[in-house]
């Protein structure tokens, strides 16, 4: 029975406060015998907001949020369709329930079905039948009853009646409750025969005697994992500004190239809006008369496609969406207030990662040859532009017989061919010293001769010996002074030789070495133009392998260089073989490039990158080895920023560059201490 008091009693504030809290219901205040005001306790007010009105996140109290689940930023999602029967709502509901249970058992936390899955899209004039609509509500009730204990956010679609108008609706369901309904905003001429369009603001629809939010843009946020922000609907117009997941329900006839176009469009939506898209399309069971549907499903992130189904396949697809990464991409995105926000509370019990990461993220696994050719051409065109800018027709570079200088030489050859310049104006210089082996020296010499470039040899042993004597360093010394004296002497020779031929020195250092600071300051660290500055070592290796077929005259040499251990060759050889193996000293480049890609380029949390590396390289390296080299990477990366702060120009030809002028900004005094501490706390 509702409580009523006259307005004159409002002066008894303490008594009214006590009454409100005890009843925890609204109290009606009358004036002159007529209802005038309603007062209530704060807890009653909050309960009413939660039950009747989507809560504005600006006014939502912090104490309402729940303890956040630890999920490393991942959430498992599924896109699926069913073997539907046209107009057989009961059977379709049964198949939907079966699919939901199957996927929830796989720990999928978002499950998306296609447009009008409950009835099938192809019902046509059956949509005008009261019997079909009556069965829709029975089928929907069966789905709600069957999902009361299922902790997954479910999106289905069916016709629904509101104010005696029929709407094609996307329905958000969680634990047997309908959270919200999004009506289709744009209908085709054929659809308009059955369905109304809705373009109004937020309203409510009565479903099973409950008021449910009804509107074109609804945002669903998980209170236990606030980074899970979901929009649902049929087109980009339904996408809320602040959502990072868009559940898109689709029906589209399958014609030539239509699936490729859909993939392109959804990828574009994902990149443009910094959102993951879960696309579910109608099954081929829908129709065989005028059109054919393919059941094409897709899960895509801004960084690329995660999973797609084969055409005419009714099975589901499931993948782990990286919400961490998406939120990083959205960090500086202009925010707008979501007025229609609905909260739910779903446990994110992340246990294992099904998603697989590429061990070589810089390499295009599908077409490495085409990637190598495009990169080489881009490097060559950049060098051509620089040479034309400074009216220079000669270049100088040191050739060691290693991978980096080999790729730099190929770039020069490509650029000079494009410019119709004589390859003899490429001045390659070998600079043997204490650590040079016959294998690398012979490979460097043969490579230059077969490519038809000018070749000189400047033995720097005597010059380095004199210099070391000048500063009282013994030739038996094996310190960094002994090593760096050679590197700086080589750079001095190259710089002076470039003056002699009126050319510029082409750098050879790659992105991995730049990241690790594996270069002698003002030695191989320096050049006039570094064509390799955004190529990591793993990609350099891939290029050498695949370009060997394009440079047939030096194919055998390229393959032997590829097979040679990476070394600066600054220490004397042992029994004629390289004694100084770079990866023994600083760690495997495949690990460092993985860290570089995910930790520096993608800005992922250090613990997350470590766990990704453990999952990706579990067969090859132990967790202890991975952690050791990750700590080593962080130390070297931060300690060597001062070298990157004064690095030479060079073209950005991959996604990643550490240029201090355009791509990566870090003070030389920055410390990686906190990252290392956090990493060391992980098991």
């Amino acid at each position: 029975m509702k409580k009523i008091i006259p307005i004159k009693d409002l002066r008894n504030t303490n008594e009214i406060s006590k009454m409100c809290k005890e009843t925890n219901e609204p109290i009606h205040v009358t004036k002159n015998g007529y209802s005038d005001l309603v007062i209530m306790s704060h807890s009653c007010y909050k309960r009413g907001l939660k039950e009747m009105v989507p809560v504005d996140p600006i006014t939502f109290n912090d104490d309402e949020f729940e303890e956040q689940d630890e999920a490393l930023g991942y959430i498992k999602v599924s896109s699926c369709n069913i073997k539907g029967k046209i107009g057989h709502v009961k059977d379709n509901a049964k198949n939907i329930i079966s699919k939901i249970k199957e996927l929830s058992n796989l720990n999928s936390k978002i499950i998306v079905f296609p447009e009008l899955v409950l009835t099938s899209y192809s019902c046509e004039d059956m949509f005008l039948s009261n019997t079909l609509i009556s069965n829709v509500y029975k089928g929907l009730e069966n789905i709600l009853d069957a999902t009361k204990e299922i902790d997954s956010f479910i999106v289905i679609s069916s016709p629904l009646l509101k104010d005696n108008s029929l709407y094609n609706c996307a329905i958000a369901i969680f634990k047997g409750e309908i959270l919200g309904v999004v009506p289709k905003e744009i209908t085709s001429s054929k659809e308009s025969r059955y369905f109304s369009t809705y373009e109004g603001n937020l309203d409510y629809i009565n479903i099973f005697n409950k008021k449910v939010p009804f509107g074109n843009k609804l945002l669903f946020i998980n209170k236990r994992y606030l980074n899970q922000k979901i929009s649902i609907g049929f087109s980009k117009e339904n996408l809320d500004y602040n959502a990072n997941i868009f559940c898109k329900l689709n029906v589209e006839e399958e014609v030539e190239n239509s699936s490729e176009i859909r993939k392109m469009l959804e990828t574009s939506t994902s990149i443009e809006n910094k959102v993951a898209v879960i696309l579910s399309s109608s099954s081929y069971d829908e129709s065989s008369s005028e059109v054919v549907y393919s059941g094409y499903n897709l899960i895509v992130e801004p960084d690329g496609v995660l999973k797609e189904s084969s055409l005419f396949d009714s099975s589901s697809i499931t993948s782990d969406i990286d919400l961490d990464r998406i939120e990083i991409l959205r960090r500086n995105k202009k925010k707008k207030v979501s007025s229609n926000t609905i909260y739910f509370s779903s446990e994110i019990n992340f246990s294992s990662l099904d998603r697989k990461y590429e061990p070589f993220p810089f390499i295009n696994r599908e077409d490495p040859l085409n990637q190598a050719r495009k990169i080489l051409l881009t490097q060559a065109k950049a060098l051509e532009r620089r040479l034309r800018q400074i009216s220079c027709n000669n270049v100088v570079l040191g050739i060691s017989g290693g991978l980096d200088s080999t790729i730099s030489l190929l770039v020069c050859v490509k650029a000079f061919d494009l410019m119709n310049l004589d390859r003899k104006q490429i001045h390659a210089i070998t600079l043997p010293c204490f650590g040079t082996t016959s294998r690398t020296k012979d490979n460097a010499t043969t490579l230059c001769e077969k490519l038809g470039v000018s070749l000189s040899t400047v033995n720097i042993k005597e010059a380095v010996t004199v210099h070391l004597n000048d500063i009282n360093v013994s030739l038996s010394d094996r310190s960094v002074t002994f090593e760096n004296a050679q590197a700086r002497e080589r750079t001095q020779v190259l710089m002076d030789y470039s003056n002699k031929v009126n050319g510029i020195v082409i750098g050879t250092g790659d992105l991995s070495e730049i990241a690790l600071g594996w270069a002698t300051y003002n030695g191989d660290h320096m050049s006039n133009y570094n064509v390799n500055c955004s190529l990591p070592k793993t990609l350099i290796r891939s290029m050498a392998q695949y370009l060997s077929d394009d440079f047939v005259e030096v194919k055998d040499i390229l393959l032997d260089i590829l097979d040679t251990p990476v070394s600066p060759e600054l220490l004397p050889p042992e029994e004629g073989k390289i004694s100084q193996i770079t990866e023994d000293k600083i760690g495997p480049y495949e690990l460092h490039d993985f860290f570089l890609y995910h930790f520096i380029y993608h800005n992922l949390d250090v613990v997350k990158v470590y766990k990704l590396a453990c999952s990706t390289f579990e067969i090859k390296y132990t967790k202890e080895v991975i952690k050791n080299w990750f700590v080593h990477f962080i130390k070297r990366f931060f300690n060597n920023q001062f070298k990157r702060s004064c690095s030479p120009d060079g073209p950005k030809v991959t996604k990643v560059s550490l240029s201090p002028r355009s791509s990566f900004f870090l003070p030389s005094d920055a410390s990686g201490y906190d990252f290392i501490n956090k990493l060391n706390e992980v098991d």
Side-chain angles (χ1 to χ4, degrees), residues 273-297:
N273 297 282
K274 306 295 185 289
V275 63
V277 178
I278 309 169
L279 176 73
S280 180
S281 303
S282 292
S283 166
Y284 69 93
D285 293 296
E286 283 277 359
S287 172
S288 65
S289 52
E290 298 296 327
V291 297
V292 177
Y293 304 113
S294 65
Y296 178 72
N297 297 327

Side-chain angles (χ1 to χ4, degrees), residues 52 54 158-163 165-171 178-184 196-207 211-218 220 340 342:
M52 305 296 289
S158 80
L160 290 177
L161 279 169
K162 173 177 165 53
D163 301 329
S165 293
L166 192 65
Y167 294 95
N168 178 358
C169 298
I171 306 168
I178 297 178
L179 298 179
V181 174
V182 175
K184 191 169 186 178
S196 298
T197 57
Y198 185 83
E199 299 177 5
N201 296 323
L202 177 69
D203 201 348
Y204 299 91
I205 184 173
N206 189 320
I207 304 178
K211 291 178 73 174
V212 176
F214 182 91
N216 294 130
K217 283 190 178 181
L218 301 178
F220 303 89
N340 307 325
I342 302 162

